[in-house]
Amino acid sequence: MLKKETILATAGRPPHGPVNVPVMRASTILFEDMDSYESTRDDRFEALRYGLHGTETHFALERVLTEFEGCHRAIIVPSGLAAATAVLLTLLSPGDHLLVADSVYGPVRSFIGTRLAAMGVTHTFFDPNLADGIEQLFQPNTKLVYCESPGSFTFEVQDIPAIVRQARRHGIKTVIDNTWASPLFFDAMVHGVDISIQAATKHISGHSDFLMGVIATTAPLWKPVRETVADLGFSVSADDCFLALRGLRTLSLRLRRQNETALKVAGWLRSHPAITEVLYPPLEGAPGHALWKRDFKGGCGLMGVVVKPDETRTVRTIINSLRLFRIGASWGGFESLALPGRFTRVTEPPCEQNHLLRLYTGLEDPDDLISDLANALGPTDAPTHSAEQRRS
Ligand SMILES: *Cc1c(COP(=O)(O)O)cnc(C)c1O
């Protein structure tokens, strides 16, 4: 088995000719005669037949993603959210019940509460810190456990091996949103999930210039999910596939560097008197660190920072004072970003929503990012190392 890094550099390269697959833009594909046209009808997902189902550029990207994920086959869709909704629509029917991590990505939570509920699919949000015993939440009609680890905004690490073990015993499927770690740092397929999804919009793009989703499937689920994607009319442009292929080649360099930067920034923030806690599982002593250490090989640049607000300093004033961390939705590019925390919960959250700052560290120098934060956090009464001293 090749290592993920080698796969990213070698997968999908043609045996001869240009290193990179050219962009093949097409809706209509022309055929010489009816026999050859009809011969592609039964394998519209593998043969060049109609642009909606992909061209050589799309197929090349799907082959690289299949190797990277270590799955039966990967499917590309127009956004990370489309990956989640296509999977939910495939695996759930009216009358079914679904278990969802309470820290799930907001728009997925909303899809489950509105569209799926209207279809007659019921759901229960489970505590993402649940150590064991998800089994106790299974109902006779439970068909799926939907995880996202670490969770959006609050970064709880879920015990995926325990969840998979219990779900399998009851014939229940498991899905994970693996956007934060990517297969480089969390090998979802080796951990036994049935489907792993990623917003390729984030690390695979790496440059904040297109949207895409990846669905990595085990063998029995490839065809049903692929057909849902076709039925929904989801299609991705060949140009975006080219950018995704290009992004994949440098993904490990970017993520490893961002992991280092994030650790440095998170460590500095934790010792700052204006900060209560840093929600970054790779940081020693952070919530979820033990599980992260057991199951993950690294982390990306995205973290939660719990701030101690006072009269002059709120999450909002901090964000407005930052210069290198810019304000903007999404993450995964080379540029650092900041946003206020935003989440909905039925179980106990790790902090008050208005105390939470979400930071994403890009490829800037970590010392410059720390200076930016020091400036935005403003003067403090105590020297900046006091929190660390109290801790030790
Ligand atoms: C961004 C994100 C998505 C959605 O991706 P889009 O391409 O923006 O639709 C899904 N899950 C997680 C964890 C994300 O961070």
Side-chain angles (χ1 to χ4, degrees):
M1 261 281 270
L2 292 175
K3 300 265 199 305
K4 298 282 186 202
E5 247 135 11
T6 310
I7 291 170
L8 286 172
T10 57
R13 282 196 324 223
H16 58 87
V19 173
N20 296 313
V21 178
V23 178
M24 184 185 274
R25 302 169 61 109
S27 53
T28 298
I29 310 292
L30 299 175
F31 290 83
E32 297 261 28
D33 51 43
M34 278 310 294
D35 281 351
S36 50
Y37 179 59
E38 281 166 353
S39 73
T40 61
R41 185 174 14 196
D42 292 334
D43 55 10
R44 59 189 174 145
F45 303 138
E46 356 261 328
L48 204 52
R49 174 178 167 92
Y50 182 44
L52 180 68
H53 307 305
T55 69
E56 297 303 342
T57 317
H58 301 77
F59 302 149
L61 173 60
E62 286 185 340
R63 281 194 296 271
V64 176
L65 289 168
T66 296
E67 281 193 57
F68 182 38
E69 297 270 5
C71 64
H72 171 69
R73 260 177 103 161
I75 301 164
I76 50 176
V77 290
S79 68
L81 182 57
T85 58
V87 165
L88 292 167
L89 289 172
T90 306
L91 298 180
L92 296 161
S93 306
D96 289 346
H97 173 254
L98 155 78
L99 279 165
V100 196
D102 202 14
S103 52
V104 75
Y105 177 66
V108 170
R109 185 185 194 98
S110 149
F111 180 82
I112 289 167
T114 55
R115 313 272 164 202
L116 285 187
M119 271 172 54
V121 174
T122 56
H123 60 269
T124 307
F125 290 107
F126 68 87
D127 183 347
N129 287 314
L130 183 89
D132 207 358
I134 191 148
E135 224 159 5
Q136 276 137 40
L137 302 175
F138 292 166
Q139 298 177 11
N141 58 340
T142 303
K143 291 289 158 59
L144 177 66
V145 183
Y146 189 99
C147 304
E148 180 189 321
S149 184
S152 277
F153 282 106
T154 43
F155 301 92
E156 295 88 345
V157 180
Q158 285 135 61
D159 193 339
I160 301 298
I163 290 172
V164 165
R165 204 163 44 241
Q166 293 168 64
R168 278 196 177 161
R169 258 205 302 268
H170 295 260
I172 294 169
K173 301 271 187 285
T174 48
V175 172
I176 186 173
D177 182 330
N178 194 25
T179 300
W180 183 86
S182 94
L184 184 69
F185 291 151
F186 182 76
D187 207 334
M189 286 292 144
V190 164
H191 280 90
V193 300
D194 293 289
I195 291 184
S196 173
I197 66 162
Q198 275 189 84
T201 309
K202 310 287 170 54
H203 305 311
I204 293 177
S205 157
H207 296 73
S208 309
D209 48 11
F210 67 85
L211 289 128
M212 193 184 289
V214 181
I215 306 170
T217 64
T218 44
L221 293 180
W222 175 73
K223 196 138 195 266
V225 176
R226 186 65 190 81
E227 280 175 346
T228 303
V229 167
D231 289 345
L232 290 169
F234 284 170
S235 129
V236 173
S237 85
D239 298 270
D240 289 349
C241 291
F242 179 85
L243 290 174
L245 278 162
R246 189 168 250 236
L248 277 163
R249 303 306 187 190
T250 58
L251 182 141
S252 73
L253 276 177
R254 289 183 277 107
L255 253 61
R256 285 187 196 286
R257 164 66 189 254
Q258 287 173 293
N259 191 179
E260 271 172 38
T261 302
L263 273 172
K264 196 164 179 187
V265 168
W268 181 85
L269 280 166
R270 186 164 58 184
S271 65
H272 193 285
I275 304 303
T276 316
E277 185 149 50
V278 180
L279 309 175
Y280 188 60
L283 184 68
E284 185 100 43
H289 180 71
L291 272 185
W292 171 86
K293 200 167 170 182
R294 188 192 70 186
D295 296 341
F296 288 69
K297 295 199 181 84
C300 71
L302 195 72
M303 69 184 81
V305 181
V306 186
V307 178
K308 243 178 259 166
D310 61 25
E311 307 81 58
T312 56
R313 182 172 44 221
T314 64
V315 168
R316 210 181 157 84
T317 61
I318 294 168
I319 293 175
N320 277 329
S321 312
L322 288 164
R323 291 290 166 265
L324 291 174
F325 286 90
R326 302 294 308 275
I327 301 167
S330 202
W331 47 275
F334 51 84
E335 77 289 6
S336 291
L337 295 168
L339 274 187
R342 189 156 165 257
F343 54 81
T344 309
R345 277 314 184 82
V346 295
T347 62
E348 188 67 30
C351 64
E352 271 187 53
Q353 172 153 243
N354 60 3
H355 293 187
L356 183 61
L357 163 69
R358 187 182 75 177
L359 290 181
Y360 171 74
T361 58
L363 294 175
E364 300 88 344
D365 186 282
D367 293 333
D368 286 339
L369 294 178
I370 288 171
S371 304
D372 195 28
L373 286 163
N375 181 56
L377 287 169
T380 50
D381 305 336
T384 57
H385 54 269
S386 65
E388 199 61 71
Q389 281 174 343
R390 273 199 305 276
R391 203 180 308 276
S392 52

